[in-house]
Amino acid sequence: SSGINAEYGGVKYGSGSGQQSVTGVPDGDDVNSYWTILSGSTKPTCARGDEIKCGGVIRLQHAQTGKNLHSHLFTAPITNHMQEVSAFGEEGKGDSGDDWQLLKPINTLILSLG
């Protein structure tokens, strides 16, 4: 585990997508760091306790706002060597940039843009 959590910032990026910011924070144990695991957009609905296998596609929905963790194919406004990640969509509705693929079967989710 990297020890970094995805935290919803509640403010829009001033450049890039202009969507709601999501940043990596150490030990982000507050409501802004809570995400619900959902099925990917082309997958059947998953139930609580269902196994997510390596290679499985999921969506992460912010617990408070209902926005999806979303990736873009352009550079993040904060760094020049990573892709932008934002919060996008409403109540699970979004697009393929909301789909993430599980890369390693470990206790902590390691995800890649699906």
Side-chain angles (χ1 to χ4, degrees):
S1 164
S2 67
I4 302 296
N5 295 306
E7 184 169 278
Y8 175 79
V11 296
K12 291 183 178 185
Y13 287 120
S15 62
S17 70
Q19 294 172 355
Q20 300 291 312
S21 67
V22 174
T23 56
V25 296
D27 303 320
D29 190 19
D30 62 48
V31 295
N32 290 319
S33 297
Y34 296 158
W35 300 84
T36 302
I37 300 171
L38 303 173
S39 301
S41 63
T42 62
K43 304 297 176 193
T45 302
C46 64
R48 184 178 181 145
D50 283 355
E51 179 182 7
I52 302 169
K53 296 184 178 181
C54 187
V57 176
I58 62 170
R59 285 186 173 197
L60 296 173
Q61 184 182 72
H62 190 254
Q64 273 197 314
T65 66
K67 294 186 180 296
N68 298 321
L69 187 65
H70 184 84
S71 182
H72 298 275
L73 297 177
F74 49 84
T75 305
I78 298 173
T79 68
N80 62 4
H81 62 283
M82 302 284 225
Q83 289 173 245
E84 180 184 298
V85 176
S86 65
F88 173 76
E90 299 294 330
E91 296 305 320
K93 294 185 172 97
D95 63 29
S96 62
D98 302 338
D99 290 337
W100 297 84
Q101 185 176 33
L102 185 65
L103 297 179
K104 289 185 176 182
I106 59 174
N107 291 336
T108 303
L109 290 177
I110 305 295
L111 304 169
S112 171
L113 178 61

